Amino acid sequence: MATTDLLDTLRRSVGAANVLTEGDLSAWELDWRKRWHGRALAVVRPAATAEVAAVVRACAAAHVAVVPQGGNTGMVGGGVPDASGTQVLLSLQRMNRIRAIDEANLTLTADAGCVLQAAQEAARACGLLLPLSLAAEGSCTLGGNLATNAGGTQVLRWGNAREQCLGLEVVTAQGEVWDGLSGLRKDNTGYDLRDLLIGSEGTLGIITAATLKLAPLPAATTTALAACEDLAHCVALLKLARARLGAGLTGFEVMGRFALDLVARHFPALPQPLPGAPWTVLLEQSDIEGEAPARERFESLLGSALEAGVIGDAVVAASLAQSRALWQLRESIPLAQSEEGLNVKHDISLPVSAIPAFVAGTDALLRRHFPGVQLVNFGHLGDGNLHYNVQAPVGVEGQRFLQDHEHTINTLVFDALAPFGGSFSAEHGIGALKRDELAARKSPVALQMMRAVKAALDPLGILNPGRVL
Amino acid sequence: MATTDLLDTLRRSVGAANVLTEGDLSAWELDWRKRWHGRALAVVRPAATAEVAAVVRACAAAHVAVVPQGGNTGMVGGGVPDASGTQVLLSLQRMNRIRAIDEANLTLTADAGCVLQAAQEAARACGLLLPLSLAAEGSCTLGGNLATNAGGTQVLRWGNAREQCLGLEVVTAQGEVWDGLSGLRKDNTGYDLRDLLIGSEGTLGIITAATLKLAPLPAATTTALAACEDLAHCVALLKLARARLGAGLTGFEVMGRFALDLVARHFPALPQPLPGAPWTVLLEQSDIEGEAPARERFESLLGSALEAGVIGDAVVAASLAQSRALWQLRESIPLAQSEEGLNVKHDISLPVSAIPAFVAGTDALLRRHFPGVQLVNFGHLGDGNLHYNVQAPVGVEGQRFLQDHEHTINTLVFDALAPFGGSFSAEHGIGALKRDELAARKSPVALQMMRAVKAALDPLGILNPGRVL
């Protein structure tokens, strides 16, 4: 099929106004980190599942690649077209309906292009919690969250996006619709296609809708900070907090001294209640009971931790405003890093038990290779997920440091993960950025199985080619 | 390869003493429900992953089918050889080591042949909980639990076997070893092969080891019974209990009057604290706090439910012994059914919100078709999972009723599920028993994807053929 024929078919499928080929298409062609600026054959904006299917059938007939995109907030270049000008960018953003909320079954079903925050708010309006929560929630979409198996700040209690999903509607590489939407907690009828599709980054099928689990809203959310002398003490505090707070412990974030010093430098108005702490832990409790009992439980836990020498100091937020201020500290770290300039970012995970040894060894290794290097270390310790970022020595320009040393630093860090069974991509995925790392680092048997699955489900290779595999 | 050559290779791989071809092999050839009595070419009992791989390579070279088996406690004929005498029965039972427990990471890694109860006990010895729990736990194995994505009594809080697993070691259809063991809570490096393998019933690969999540042991487990006038009230109680007990609510089982009347008939010594209740709910709380606060929470919840007219009566167990007696009531239902004779069993799931309408409609439908039919209705209401069993009218022999009407009854029940989005196999899987139902009832697009995945990973079709697909 000639390109003009394909474009005609696409216009018939979704309406001419929703097939964009001219003007500034950078909202779809440029990723938000501004690392990948592709060029699409067309940006196509279907409004319904049947239209997505028609687009994929037309592209399959023309052997033209389809790149699905949600909110375009990905970190690894998985959702923008390549530079060839031959790929169709399929934006799900017009498909943004909440389809149903079943309060007795605690489920929400929505289109893939529904913005995460809109889904959270729809649940909240029914007195229910949609637990998935991450920095980009104001613009990322449910489809993108599921295609990348997003993590975020509530994984400790609620799991990743995968664990929060009960069913999917998917358009296959053949342009057929698999209606796998489901409100069932248990269903053992055949292979787990749902979880195979989740995290496949648009390379095995295009998610067009999903059913997500909801939960009763917590009665209160309370926050505390604790000062630890090293990461081993942070891990000991995690153990204690799990035992004492049970499922009420919904957040356990760690922040290294240097990360918080960057925040102090760039956001001096933000109070830092534990300014001398080598490591600061942010604990969040959200539970069925009110604020007063939650604060009591925090105080009892932190009192025990102080007595046992696990922590050196602690504060419990006395109000919702104080809680927010503590979270703001944590959330300001990436912003402070941006102010500071470019650095080499890692999104790694390890068994929690291995984190102290990994960080000590890898810090030392990097300092040997790059004297004066500065380590911005923070992350979701409760999930074993660190954002282990490497900043240029004082006086060295960030951009230059990144250009010259990113590959070497990645290799050092990723090699150091291997003996601990760590992962070089905890929550951001593979996309285009880490495709070579996947090919080099994943077990050859696993890669072979993945390639077999890809060839089986997308034999023409039209779904998001060049991503993941 | 001739059969004798294959047997020689197998003997070299696992030792002659572990290749059984003679004598009474019914421990492996006959399923425990005694519905399928197959005949194996040989029963092969490897002691290590490398031996499993060697067995599969030999069978692949000979184009001989391999049927993996754990504790042989499956419900659907998925783990015994067919009657042809041409399939190799591969028993994982000799592979029963706990490989590691990582207390700080809350993980346990064990061989696939490890008995579930042995793994629970190993965790408990470290002060930790392995939450997976089901009736067969004294003899079922972790590999079988994962191959069938087992459910059980703790799904409400902890999910199915799938949700409790972090990583797998698998022997592929080519006899290669995929080391996907992992203690990571977050790992987005490629397709989710783990969840694809879990629940695939040995048709895509043979699970040889797994890493499972652990949790701190609850401080106390308490139990209560409540009487409801109908299933709609049971669902209302579930909503209230979720809101008031949060994650502390770990069990929510429902028992119909006729099911408990069978228990009274066959186990008259078991006390029935709410003998007149049309529906009885068993609630379990296991939490970080002690027994006294848990009982108080139960009393407060049940008091509110009484006032609101959601329940008619309730009792809270005053001791561990009383708690056990209440669970024994629930667990005696299947035993009482056995005493009563054969019946038509179903393991179905529905959105919780749909259960009252489904049961009312389907009860009436069955009574119209089979006047006098008796409905044994109980199950994991909190998970939307009912064991909806159909017993012959008084005076009709169970065996005869089953023979004459099983297919018709299945069709009526499974057809009735469809408009509610229900599933005809919630936790028992497909195996040989429900293969035709899967082919008839699953979406054609899903079946096509499943068949493509099967052909991609097991092109020779040697892994557990005739099961699932």
Side-chain angles (χ1 to χ4, degrees):
Chain A
M1 201 192 293
T3 297
T4 50
D5 291 345
L6 173 61
L7 291 174
D8 284 347
T9 308
L10 295 176
R11 287 188 186 105
R12 276 196 306 277
S13 303
V14 303
N18 295 307
V19 178
L20 314 179
T21 55
E22 284 168 15
D24 179 7
L25 302 179
S26 60
W28 298 277
E29 291 178 334
L30 175 64
D31 85 297
W32 77 274
R33 290 178 75 189
K34 301 190 170 42
R35 288 190 71 158
W36 295 269
H37 197 159
R39 199 163 64 82
L41 176 66
V43 172
V44 180
R45 307 178 72 229
T49 303
E51 292 185 9
V52 176
V55 168
V56 174
R57 282 197 303 273
C59 290
H63 288 237
V64 163
V66 180
V67 179
Q69 185 184 87
N72 192 13
T73 62
M75 303 290 277
V76 291
V80 287
D82 68 17
S84 67
T86 63
Q87 303 186 320
V88 165
L89 188 288
L90 188 147
S91 167
L92 280 298
Q93 280 179 311
R94 288 179 66 220
M95 292 180 59
N96 59 5
R97 277 181 316 143
I98 306 283
R99 295 193 188 176
I101 293 180
D102 182 339
E103 294 186 38
N105 194 47
L106 293 177
T107 48
L108 174 147
T109 301
D111 288 348
C114 181
V115 168
L116 173 54
Q117 193 175 308
Q120 292 166 343
E121 284 166 6
R124 183 173 288 269
C126 300
L128 297 171
L129 174 73
L130 190 156
L132 187 66
S133 177
L134 55 151
E137 62 196 23
S139 50
C140 65
T141 63
L142 298 181
N145 296 151
L146 290 163
T148 59
N149 187 28
T153 58
Q154 299 287 303
V155 173
L156 185 63
R157 169 69 182 93
W158 301 103
N160 298 289
R162 172 173 289 126
E163 283 87 53
Q164 300 187 39
C165 180
L166 290 174
L168 295 178
E169 179 188 82
V170 170
V171 170
T172 69
Q174 292 74 37
E176 294 186 279
V177 179
W178 167 46
D179 179 0
L181 291 174
S182 163
L184 304 180
R185 261 77 183 169
K186 283 179 167 178
D187 182 16
N188 279 346
T189 52
Y191 302 154
D192 184 9
L193 299 174
R194 175 192 68 204
D195 288 320
L196 181 62
L197 268 291
I198 293 174
S200 69
E201 304 186 24
T203 65
L204 298 180
I206 298 173
I207 297 170
T208 52
T211 303
L212 299 174
K213 296 182 202 167
L214 304 176
L217 275 177
T221 300
T222 48
T223 308
L225 283 193
C228 290
E229 70 183 63
D230 58 26
L231 277 169
H233 284 77
C234 299
V235 171
L237 178 61
L238 175 63
K239 186 178 176 182
L240 202 59
R242 279 185 196 272
R244 298 280 281 272
L245 307 180
L249 179 69
T250 48
F252 196 95
E253 302 281 316
V254 74
M255 303 172 273
R257 183 70 264 146
F258 182 66
L260 286 177
D261 285 347
L262 287 184
V263 173
R265 184 182 307 163
H266 296 285
F267 305 101
L270 264 184
Q272 295 223 8
L274 302 170
W279 294 89
T280 303
V281 174
L282 185 159
L283 301 98
E284 184 193 81
Q285 225 185 140
S286 43
D287 215 340
I288 47 168
E289 289 179 301
E291 276 183 52
R295 267 201 293 274
E296 267 169 45
R297 253 199 299 271
F298 259 149
E299 272 152 23
S300 155
L301 163 72
L302 296 167
S304 305
L306 261 171
E307 262 177 51
V310 170
I311 63 175
D313 198 0
V315 290
V316 178
S319 65
L320 195 59
Q322 282 191 13
S323 272
R324 286 204 182 122
L326 298 187
W327 268 110
Q328 211 185 335
L329 261 189
R330 162 67 181 82
E331 283 157 5
S332 298
I333 297 174
L335 308 173
Q337 282 186 104
S338 295
E339 293 294 318
E340 193 74 9
L342 290 174
N343 58 24
V344 184
K345 291 192 196 300
H346 301 109
D347 163 44
I348 59 176
S349 61
L350 293 134
V352 170
S353 51
I355 283 181
F358 168 84
V359 170
T362 312
D363 281 6
L365 180 76
L366 290 168
R367 290 200 169 103
R368 278 203 302 280
H369 276 78
F370 302 100
V373 77
Q374 304 178 93
L375 295 153
V376 189
N377 208 334
F378 66 102
H380 318 293
L381 185 66
D383 317 319
N385 180 192
L386 292 182
H387 299 302
Y388 184 83
N389 299 339
V390 183
Q391 186 175 311
V394 173
V396 178
E397 205 266 314
Q399 170 100 42
R400 181 63 190 272
F401 185 72
L402 187 79
Q403 254 167 24
D404 290 351
H405 302 303
E406 183 173 23
H407 184 72
T408 308
I409 290 172
N410 286 347
T411 302
L412 289 169
V413 172
F414 297 161
D415 285 353
L417 286 167
F420 296 104
S423 166
F424 62 90
S425 186
E427 59 177 5
H428 295 166
I430 300 300
L433 181 65
K434 296 181 184 167
R435 189 184 169 212
D436 292 344
E437 296 292 348
L438 187 79
R441 295 180 182 278
K442 199 79 182 176
S443 115
V445 179
L447 284 170
Q448 190 178 303
M449 293 170 81
M450 289 180 196
R451 290 187 187 119
V453 167
K454 169 71 175 175
L457 297 184
D458 179 20
L460 298 176
I462 61 161
L463 291 181
N464 216 7
R467 276 55 177 236
V468 185
L469 293 177
Chain B
M1 201 192 292
T3 297
T4 50
D5 290 347
L6 173 61
L7 291 174
D8 284 347
T9 307
L10 294 176
R11 288 188 187 106
R12 276 196 305 276
S13 302
V14 303
N18 296 307
V19 178
L20 314 179
T21 56
E22 283 169 16
D24 179 7
L25 302 180
S26 59
W28 298 277
E29 290 178 333
L30 176 65
D31 85 297
W32 77 275
R33 289 178 75 189
K34 301 190 170 43
R35 287 190 72 158
W36 294 271
H37 197 158
R39 200 164 64 81
L41 176 67
V43 172
V44 179
R45 307 178 72 228
T49 304
E51 293 185 10
V52 176
V55 168
V56 174
R57 283 197 303 273
C59 290
H63 288 235
V64 162
V66 180
V67 178
Q69 186 183 87
N72 192 14
T73 62
M75 304 290 278
V76 290
V80 287
D82 69 16
S84 68
T86 63
Q87 303 185 320
V88 165
L89 188 289
L90 188 148
S91 167
L92 280 298
Q93 280 179 311
R94 288 179 66 220
M95 292 180 60
N96 59 6
R97 277 181 316 144
I98 306 283
R99 295 193 188 177
I101 293 180
D102 182 339
E103 295 186 38
N105 195 46
L106 293 176
T107 48
L108 174 147
T109 301
D111 288 349
C114 182
V115 168
L116 173 54
Q117 193 173 307
Q120 292 167 342
E121 284 167 5
R124 183 172 288 268
C126 300
L128 297 171
L129 174 72
L130 191 155
L132 187 66
S133 177
L134 55 151
E137 62 197 22
S139 49
C140 65
T141 63
L142 298 181
N145 296 150
L146 290 163
T148 59
N149 186 28
T153 57
Q154 299 287 303
V155 174
L156 185 63
R157 168 68 182 93
W158 301 103
N160 298 289
R162 172 173 288 125
E163 283 87 51
Q164 300 186 39
C165 180
L166 290 174
L168 295 178
E169 180 189 83
V170 170
V171 170
T172 69
Q174 293 72 37
E176 294 186 279
V177 179
W178 167 45
D179 180 0
L181 292 175
S182 162
L184 304 179
R185 260 79 183 169
K186 283 179 165 178
D187 182 15
N188 279 347
T189 52
Y191 302 154
D192 184 9
L193 299 174
R194 175 192 69 204
D195 288 320
L196 181 62
L197 268 290
I198 293 174
S200 69
E201 304 186 23
T203 66
L204 298 180
I206 299 172
I207 296 170
T208 51
T211 303
L212 299 174
K213 295 183 202 166
L214 304 176
L217 274 177
T221 300
T222 49
T223 308
L225 284 192
C228 290
E229 70 182 63
D230 58 26
L231 277 170
H233 285 77
C234 298
V235 171
L237 178 61
L238 174 63
K239 186 179 176 182
L240 202 60
R242 279 185 196 274
R244 297 280 281 272
L245 307 180
L249 180 68
T250 48
F252 196 95
E253 302 282 316
V254 73
M255 301 172 275
R257 183 69 265 148
F258 182 66
L260 286 178
D261 286 347
L262 287 185
V263 173
R265 184 181 307 162
H266 296 285
F267 304 102
L270 264 184
Q272 295 223 8
L274 302 171
W279 294 88
T280 303
V281 174
L282 185 160
L283 301 97
E284 184 194 80
Q285 226 186 140
S286 45
D287 214 341
I288 48 169
E289 288 179 302
E291 275 184 53
R295 267 201 293 273
E296 267 170 45
R297 255 199 299 270
F298 259 149
E299 273 152 20
S300 155
L301 163 72
L302 296 167
S304 305
L306 260 172
E307 262 177 53
V310 170
I311 63 174
D313 197 0
V315 290
V316 178
S319 66
L320 195 59
Q322 281 190 14
S323 272
R324 286 204 181 120
L326 299 186
W327 268 111
Q328 211 185 335
L329 261 188
R330 163 66 181 82
E331 283 157 6
S332 298
I333 297 173
L335 307 173
Q337 282 186 103
S338 294
E339 293 294 317
E340 193 74 8
L342 289 174
N343 58 23
V344 184
K345 291 192 195 299
H346 301 109
D347 163 45
I348 59 176
S349 61
L350 293 133
V352 170
S353 51
I355 282 181
F358 168 84
V359 170
T362 312
D363 281 5
L365 180 76
L366 290 169
R367 290 201 170 103
R368 277 202 304 279
H369 275 78
F370 303 100
V373 78
Q374 305 178 93
L375 295 154
V376 189
N377 207 333
F378 66 102
H380 317 293
L381 185 66
D383 317 319
N385 180 191
L386 291 183
H387 298 302
Y388 184 84
N389 298 339
V390 183
Q391 185 175 310
V394 174
V396 178
E397 205 266 314
Q399 169 100 42
R400 182 63 189 270
F401 185 73
L402 187 79
Q403 253 167 24
D404 290 351
H405 302 303
E406 182 172 23
H407 184 73
T408 308
I409 291 172
N410 285 348
T411 302
L412 289 169
V413 172
F414 298 160
D415 284 354
L417 286 168
F420 296 104
S423 167
F424 62 91
S425 186
E427 58 177 5
H428 295 166
I430 300 301
L433 181 66
K434 296 181 184 167
R435 190 184 169 212
D436 292 343
E437 296 291 348
L438 187 79
R441 294 180 183 279
K442 199 80 182 176
S443 115
V445 179
L447 284 169
Q448 190 178 304
M449 292 170 81
M450 289 181 198
R451 289 187 187 118
V453 167
K454 168 72 174 173
L457 296 184
D458 179 21
L460 299 176
I462 62 161
L463 292 181
N464 216 7
R467 276 55 177 236
V468 185
L469 293 176

